Amino acid sequence: AQSVTQLGSHVSVSEGALVLLRCNYSSSVPPYLFWYVQYPNQGLQLLLKYTTGATLVKGINGFEAEFKKSETSFHLTKPSAHMSDAAEYFCAVSESDNYGQNFVFGPGTRLSVLP
Amino acid sequence: DAMVIQNPRYQVTQFGKPVTLSCSQTLNHNVMYWYQQKSSQAPKLLFHYYDKDFNNEADTPDNFQSRRPNTSFCFLDIRSPGLGDAAMYLCATSRGPGDTDTQYFGPGTRLTVL
């Protein structure tokens, strides 16, 4: 079975500082990896996803993530944090059946951005 | 804009009183999902449908049922809500059931059980 871990349930950065949110996965097959963001009292919004091809994936709002198979990691980064980046971030690995796609979500990381 | 709509955004019910949450989509996606998300936790998949073919997760309580009368609508019925069912309920859609598909989420319905 696939699983996802996110190191750090809460990360605080200063505005303008580098954002690094960690995600590690375990999978017996090539993984399909996703990062979603959730603002308070909202649904989840896709930031980016890795399926195949280029291992450095660029997403919305200036975020990017790099798939490293040797490290089983898919860490999310942003060079310069903005106050509007404060939210909960979920990493997920995808597996599907005949009915749909089963996301295995990590526990989430809450990002705080300090002025 | 094409989107996933959930009504109501906030629902209050009494212990044991049945409640129905609704979801509609204008994306014309084949797959619809229901998730339960408790405070400070990741979403947990309850049900998903590919068209009208239905699958509930093995650990979804019997207290929860779902209906998808047509492509656009999906409902979540909680037959006898308990205090432990208080949560955010998220509806999502995807074009297909593939591993690489993107799920599009609605804003959620926050359920309070008194």
Side-chain angles (χ1 to χ4, degrees):
Chain A
Q2 301 184 87
S3 66
V4 175
T5 57
Q6 292 181 241
L7 186 62
S9 60
H10 188 195
V11 171
S12 291
V13 300
S14 297
E15 191 172 20
L18 171 71
V19 176
L20 170 61
L21 303 182
R22 298 178 186 275
C23 172
N24 288 87
Y25 67 91
S26 69
S27 174
S28 59
V29 297
Y32 301 110
L33 296 157
F34 296 73
W35 274 102
Y36 277 86
V37 61
Q38 186 176 31
Y39 299 100
N41 289 314
Q42 296 289 326
L44 279 69
Q45 180 183 10
L46 180 71
L47 280 175
L48 48 80
K49 65 180 180 181
Y50 169 77
T51 55
T52 58
T55 56
L56 182 62
V57 182
K58 294 187 184 299
I60 62 171
N61 301 340
F63 285 93
E64 61 183 35
E66 187 171 11
F67 170 61
K68 291 186 176 180
K69 184 177 179 181
S70 61
E71 298 178 7
T72 61
S73 70
F74 190 55
H75 301 330
L76 182 72
T77 60
K78 182 174 180 177
S80 176
H82 191 272
M83 297 295 290
S84 61
D85 295 326
E88 189 89 18
Y89 292 79
F90 293 97
C91 181
V93 63
S94 170
E95 53 189 18
S96 66
D97 57 27
N98 291 334
Y99 301 97
Q101 183 186 48
N102 293 327
F103 274 148
V104 178
F105 284 101
T109 296
R110 181 181 303 172
L111 176 66
S112 297
V113 181
L114 308 174
Chain B
D1 286 343
M3 56 199 313
V4 181
I5 302 158
Q6 290 189 246
N7 287 306
R9 291 294 312 275
Y10 299 91
Q11 176 74 57
V12 179
T13 191
Q14 292 180 330
F15 184 94
K17 184 174 182 181
V19 66
T20 295
L21 309 182
S22 71
C23 176
S24 63
Q25 55 125 344
T26 60
L27 296 161
N28 203 30
H29 282 173
N30 291 310
V31 188
M32 296 186 77
Y33 307 79
W34 278 108
Y35 290 89
Q36 179 191 63
Q37 186 180 26
K38 295 189 175 181
S39 181
S40 300
Q41 295 184 20
K44 176 180 178 294
L45 183 64
L46 296 173
F47 302 98
H48 55 297
Y49 286 86
Y50 179 63
D51 195 11
K52 290 190 177 182
D53 291 331
F54 160 82
N55 185 54
N56 65 304
E57 295 308 292
D59 56 354
T60 297
D62 293 339
N63 195 28
F64 290 83
Q65 293 182 324
S66 183
R67 298 171 280 135
R68 189 179 183 185
N70 55 52
T71 302
S72 300
F73 285 87
C74 198
F75 299 97
L76 179 65
D77 301 308
I78 309 176
R79 289 191 290 182
S80 181
L83 297 179
D85 296 326
M88 176 77 93
Y89 289 87
L90 297 167
C91 176
T93 72
S94 65
R95 183 177 297 121
D99 284 329
T100 61
D101 280 313
T102 296
Q103 288 190 28
Y104 296 84
F105 285 79
T109 295
R110 183 167 296 282
L111 178 68
T112 300
V113 182
L114 301 178

